[in-house]
Amino acid sequence: MRGMNDLMNLKDSKKMIQESTRKHEVLYGVVDIGGTKIIAGIASDDALLATKRISTDALKGPDDITKRIAATLTELKEELNLSGSTLSGIGVSVPGPLNTKEGIVHFTGNLKWVNYPVAERLRAECGGISVHIDDDGNCAGLGEAWYGAGRGMKQMVYITVSTGIGGAVIIDGQVYRGHQDLAGEIGHMTIIPNGPLCSCGNYGCLEAIASGTAIGLQGKQLLLQGKSDIVASLSNGRMDEVSAETVFLAAEQGDSACQTIIRNAGTYLGIAAANLAHVLNPEAIIFGGGVMQQSAVLFPIIASEMNRHLFKIQQDRIQVKAAELGDKSGLWGAKRLIASLTKKI
Amino acid sequence: MRGMNDLMNLKDSKKMIQESTRKHEVLYGVVDIGGTKIIAGIASDDALLATKRISTDALKGPDDITKRIAATLTELKEELNLSGSTLSGIGVSVPGPLNTKEGIVHFTGNLKWVNYPVAERLRAECGGISVHIDDDGNCAGLGEAWYGAGRGMKQMVYITVSTGIGGAVIIDGQVYRGHQDLAGEIGHMTIIPNGPLCSCGNYGCLEAIASGTAIGLQGKQLLLQGKSDIVASLSNGRMDEVSAETVFLAAEQGDSACQTIIRNAGTYLGIAAANLAHVLNPEAIIFGGGVMQQSAVLFPIIASEMNRHLFKIQQDRIQVKAAELGDKSGLWGAKRLIASLTKKI
C-alpha cells in the first residue's frame, strides 16, 4: 500500500506541476557545470521542478557533454509529462573565464575546455532556443540574491569559498559586471602583501590563503613537517590524503595547528569582507561554497573579524550570512539569468 | 592702453558670460568646504563662471560660515552682472561623515562642526532655494567622472590622497552609495593586516600607510631616530616642521630613507588600486588630492604595482590616471550634484 500511495503521490505531484507550469506557461532549462559533475534541471518561474546529475566520467570531450545535457533536459521533460512544452531558454552556470555575450568558455581546468562555444552548441542541440551562460560565481550570487540569503536586498556581495575563491557583486538585483565583464574577482584581492603564491601568479591573494586548496596545502605542510599527529593519523601519513576536510576534522579533534590554520583563514576572509564592506557598503556579504558548508567554526571568526574592521555605524548593519540554497544556488541563478534575458524583467 | 584693453576684455567677457548664461537660463551656486579653506562659485551648466576663496580663520562657528558663503554667492553674482538671476540650487562639497538626504554634517575635524544642518541653514540664507550636500570624495569623483579624467567612462573609481584617503565609486555616471550611503571608504580598506594604527581605530588601513599624514609621520620618525640628515636639515631639526612635503623634497634630494617611504606608499596605493580593479573592473582608477599633485614619482610606482597584481587581460585595459581638475574637482562635482538633483538629468 505504501508503494501504491507513493505512486499516486508522484502522479498527483506531476499533475500539479504540469498544471502549475501550464498556468505560468514558462519553462526554462537550467544547467550547472562544475569541475566534476554537471546538474541539469527544468525550472518554472518559481520552482526547480526536477534536476538530474550527469557524471562527466564517461563523457568524451565538450560536444559529448552538450549532447548529454540536451538529452537530459529532454528526459526530464518526459519525466514531468511536459514533453509537449517548449523551453523558453536555457541558463548555464560554467566555471572559468568566459565571454558571456558570445557564450564562449575560454578555459576550464577539470573539463579541459579551451574557447568552447558552449551556448551555440547547446542551442544547436536544443532546437535553436536561447542559451545564455555566466560564470559559477555570478550565477550562485544571482541565485542567492533572488531566492536565497539575499532575497529583497538591493546590494549584496556573494563570496564562494571552495577549491578557489570567487564571487559576485550584486547591485539592484543584477550582477555588476564592470568594464570587461571581470568584476567580482574577490579571490584575487591581495590580502597579505608578499604572502603565499597564488595560482594567478601573484602573491598573497585571498584564494592563496583561505580557499579549500590553500587550507589543504597548509595541512599537507603540517604532515610534511611532522607537526600534527592527528593529521598524520587521519591521512595514514599520505600527502594525497590530506585535504581541507582533513584540516577541519583534525581541528575538531583538538589539533591546535589545524585550529590555527582555520582561524587564519577565517581572519583573512573577514578582512576581505571588511574591505568589500568599506568599498561597496552592501546590505550583506553572503558566504557559500564547499568550504563554508563544512565549517560552523569558520563563520563566527569571519563575522567577528569583519566587524572589528568596520566603523561603529556599519557594524551589525552589514550582515554576514551563510548562503541558503546549498548546491542549488547556481541552478537558481541560471534560472534568473535566462528568465531576465528572455523576458526582459 | 593695456589697462584699458583689459577693462574692455573684462567687460566683453562679462557680457559674453551674461549672454551665455541667459541663453542657458540655469545657474548654480557651488561650494567646496575644506578643512582650512572654503571656495564658493557660480556655475552654468558647462562652466565655472567665477569662484572666490573664503578664509575660515576669522569666522566664528558654523552659522557664521553659512552666512559668509551666502554673502559670497551674492557678491559673485554682482561681479558677473547677474544680480537679477536666481540660482537653480546650490551644491556643496563637505568633509566628514554626513547625511546627504537630510543635509547634515555629522562631524568635521578642522571646522569642529557636530551634526550641523548645513543644507537647511544655507537654504534659509539663500531665499529657500534647493541645497544639496555630498562628501568631498564623492564630489571630487563626480567632478572627474563628468568633466575631468573620467569623462565618458561608465565605471571609475576615484581615490583622493590627501591628509586622509577617500574616494568615490562611480557607476553609470553616478556616485554608487551603498546601503547606508557609506560606499567608497577606500582609505579604510585593510592593506597590511596588523599594520600601523589608523585614525579610525583599526590597523593597517590604506590611510594609515599612504596618506599625507602617514607619509609625514614616517618622516618625523626618521628625524626622531636620526636616520636622515636631509630631513633634519630641511626641518631645522623640528618635528612640527616635518610633513609629507618634507619627505618628498628629501627623496628628490637623494635621501634613500625618504625614497623608501614614498616607494612603500606607492606600492600600497597600487595594491589598493589592484584590489578595486579586481572587485569593480572599472575603466579607470583616478588619483587626485594634494599628495598626488606633489609627486610625479609616486604615480609610476602605483601604476606598475597595480598592473603587477592584475590578470594579463586587465593590464593596460584598466587605466591609472591623474585627476585633471586640480582643486576644482569638488566644485565641478558639486555642480553635477545639484544639476542632476534639480533637473533630473
Side-chain angles (χ1 to χ4, degrees):
Chain A
M1 283 305 282
R2 177 84 198 281
M4 197 60 181
N5 269 340
D6 282 353
L7 195 62
M8 289 293 285
N9 287 343
L10 184 64
K11 277 189 182 168
D12 284 348
S13 154
K14 278 185 183 173
K15 206 178 154 202
M16 275 175 61
I17 288 166
Q18 204 173 349
E19 280 167 6
S20 149
T21 51
R22 286 232 170 99
K23 201 172 65 192
H24 290 295
E25 287 183 334
V26 184
L27 288 175
Y28 305 102
V30 289
V31 185
D32 186 354
I33 300 179
T36 54
K37 62 174 180 178
I38 294 168
I39 303 174
I42 303 290
S44 68
D45 247 341
D46 49 18
L48 291 182
L49 303 177
T51 61
K52 191 172 270 191
R53 184 176 165 146
I54 305 169
S55 166
T56 56
D57 295 344
L59 298 171
K60 292 186 177 69
D63 282 345
D64 202 22
I65 291 177
T66 44
K67 275 191 198 353
R68 189 77 195 86
I69 290 169
T72 304
L73 291 175
T74 304
E75 284 160 37
L76 285 167
K77 280 207 298 179
E78 279 165 14
E79 286 173 27
L80 291 164
N81 282 339
L82 292 168
S83 296
S85 307
T86 309
L87 300 179
S88 293
I90 302 173
V92 187
S93 167
V94 277
L98 48 85
N99 182 322
T100 54
K101 275 188 195 141
E102 297 177 26
I104 294 169
V105 175
H106 290 312
F107 175 78
T108 63
N110 278 35
L111 295 175
K112 300 194 172 57
W113 291 4
V114 178
N115 292 325
Y116 181 61
V118 61
E120 183 195 305
R121 298 294 162 88
L122 193 54
R123 192 179 296 130
E125 293 290 338
C126 295
I129 62 172
S130 182
V131 179
H132 286 278
I133 70 172
D134 205 346
D135 77 48
D136 45 10
N138 283 344
C139 282
L142 199 57
E144 290 294 333
W146 280 84
Y147 312 104
R151 275 188 313 278
M153 293 181 186
K154 281 195 71 168
Q155 315 96 342
M156 56 152 266
V157 179
Y158 175 75
I159 304 181
T160 173
V161 188
S162 180
T163 318
I165 293 180
V169 174
I170 306 287
I171 298 177
D172 291 336
Q174 289 189 302
V175 174
Y176 169 79
R177 300 186 174 279
H179 155 54
Q180 301 168 278
D181 210 351
L182 288 172
E185 283 289 354
I186 289 159
H188 298 288
M189 294 171 75
T190 299
I191 302 297
I192 307 180
N194 303 312
L197 180 64
C198 182
S199 62
C200 77
N202 280 306
Y203 294 85
C205 295
L206 183 63
E207 179 165 305
I209 306 165
S211 64
T213 308
I215 292 169
L217 190 61
Q218 291 169 75
K220 288 182 207 290
Q221 287 168 341
L222 291 183
L223 180 65
L224 209 60
Q225 298 169 344
K227 287 186 178 161
S228 167
D229 293 342
I230 297 178
V231 168
S233 152
L234 288 170
S235 63
N236 297 313
R238 290 177 53 144
M239 285 287 279
D240 56 0
E241 292 287 319
V242 181
S243 65
E245 284 89 335
T246 321
V247 176
F248 281 104
L249 200 54
E252 207 180 302
Q253 294 179 13
D255 187 287
S256 70
C258 286
Q259 286 167 350
T260 301
I261 291 172
I262 291 166
R263 194 162 54 244
N264 285 342
T267 300
Y268 294 120
L269 286 167
I271 289 175
N275 287 357
L276 291 162
H278 278 305
V279 174
L280 292 169
N281 190 231
E283 286 177 73
I285 296 179
I286 292 169
F287 284 86
V291 173
M292 295 309 299
Q293 279 169 33
Q294 279 194 353
S295 170
V297 76
L298 204 48
F299 212 75
I301 303 171
I302 295 173
S304 104
E305 184 67 20
M306 182 183 94
N307 276 307
R308 198 168 79 80
H309 288 268
L310 296 187
F311 304 151
K312 193 170 183 308
I313 48 167
Q314 296 165 313
Q315 286 162 22
D316 307 319
R317 298 282 310 275
I318 299 176
Q319 300 173 60
V320 184
K321 295 183 80 174
E324 290 178 3
L325 302 172
D327 61 0
K328 298 285 195 296
S329 54
L331 286 177
W332 276 108
K335 203 286 289 179
R336 173 67 204 167
L337 173 75
I338 189 67
S340 67
L341 289 170
T342 52
K343 287 169 64 184
K344 301 286 174 214
I345 50 175
Chain B
M1 284 303 284
R2 177 85 196 280
M4 198 61 181
N5 270 340
D6 282 355
L7 195 62
M8 289 294 287
N9 286 344
L10 184 64
K11 278 189 180 166
D12 284 349
S13 155
K14 280 184 182 174
K15 206 176 155 202
M16 276 174 62
I17 288 166
Q18 205 172 350
E19 279 166 8
S20 150
T21 50
R22 286 227 170 105
K23 198 172 65 189
H24 290 294
E25 286 184 335
V26 184
L27 287 176
Y28 305 102
V30 288
V31 185
D32 186 354
I33 300 179
T36 53
K37 64 173 181 181
I38 293 168
I39 304 175
I42 302 289
S44 69
D45 248 342
D46 49 18
L48 291 181
L49 304 176
T51 61
K52 191 173 270 191
R53 184 176 167 145
I54 305 169
S55 167
T56 56
D57 295 343
L59 298 171
K60 292 187 179 64
D63 282 345
D64 202 21
I65 291 178
T66 44
K67 276 191 196 353
R68 188 76 195 86
I69 290 170
T72 304
L73 291 174
T74 303
E75 284 162 36
L76 285 167
K77 282 206 298 179
E78 280 166 13
E79 285 173 27
L80 291 164
N81 282 340
L82 292 169
S83 297
S85 306
T86 309
L87 300 180
S88 294
I90 303 173
V92 187
S93 167
V94 277
L98 48 84
N99 182 322
T100 53
K101 275 188 194 140
E102 297 177 26
I104 294 170
V105 176
H106 291 311
F107 174 78
T108 63
N110 277 37
L111 294 175
K112 300 192 171 57
W113 291 3
V114 179
N115 294 325
Y116 181 62
V118 59
E120 182 194 307
R121 298 296 162 87
L122 192 54
R123 191 179 298 129
E125 293 289 340
C126 295
I129 62 170
S130 182
V131 178
H132 286 279
I133 70 171
D134 206 345
D135 77 47
D136 43 10
N138 284 344
C139 283
L142 199 57
E144 289 294 332
W146 280 84
Y147 312 104
R151 276 188 313 277
M153 292 181 189
K154 280 195 72 169
Q155 314 97 341
M156 57 154 267
V157 178
Y158 175 75
I159 303 180
T160 173
V161 188
S162 179
T163 318
I165 293 181
V169 174
I170 306 287
I171 298 177
D172 292 335
Q174 289 189 304
V175 174
Y176 168 80
R177 300 186 175 279
H179 156 53
Q180 301 168 279
D181 209 351
L182 287 172
E185 283 289 354
I186 289 159
H188 298 289
M189 293 170 75
T190 298
I191 302 297
I192 306 180
N194 303 312
L197 180 64
C198 182
S199 62
C200 76
N202 279 306
Y203 294 85
C205 296
L206 183 63
E207 178 165 307
I209 306 165
S211 65
T213 307
I215 293 169
L217 189 62
Q218 291 169 76
K220 288 183 209 288
Q221 286 167 341
L222 292 183
L223 179 65
L224 209 59
Q225 298 168 343
K227 286 187 180 162
S228 167
D229 292 343
I230 297 178
V231 168
S233 151
L234 287 169
S235 63
N236 297 314
R238 290 177 51 146
M239 287 285 280
D240 57 359
E241 291 288 320
V242 181
S243 65
E245 285 90 335
T246 322
V247 175
F248 280 104
L249 198 56
E252 205 180 303
Q253 293 178 13
D255 187 288
S256 70
C258 286
Q259 285 167 352
T260 300
I261 292 171
I262 291 166
R263 194 163 52 245
N264 285 343
T267 299
Y268 294 119
L269 287 166
I271 290 175
N275 286 357
L276 291 162
H278 278 304
V279 174
L280 293 168
N281 191 230
E283 287 178 74
I285 297 179
I286 293 170
F287 284 86
V291 173
M292 295 308 300
Q293 279 167 34
Q294 277 192 355
S295 169
V297 76
L298 205 47
F299 212 74
I301 303 170
I302 295 174
S304 103
E305 184 67 21
M306 181 182 94
N307 276 308
R308 197 168 81 80
H309 289 268
L310 296 188
F311 304 152
K312 194 172 182 305
I313 47 167
Q314 296 165 313
Q315 285 163 22
D316 307 319
R317 300 281 310 273
I318 299 176
Q319 299 174 60
V320 184
K321 295 183 78 173
E324 289 177 4
L325 301 172
D327 61 0
K328 299 285 195 298
S329 55
L331 287 176
W332 275 108
K335 202 287 288 178
R336 173 68 205 167
L337 171 76
I338 190 66
S340 66
L341 290 170
T342 52
K343 287 169 67 184
K344 302 284 173 212
I345 47 174

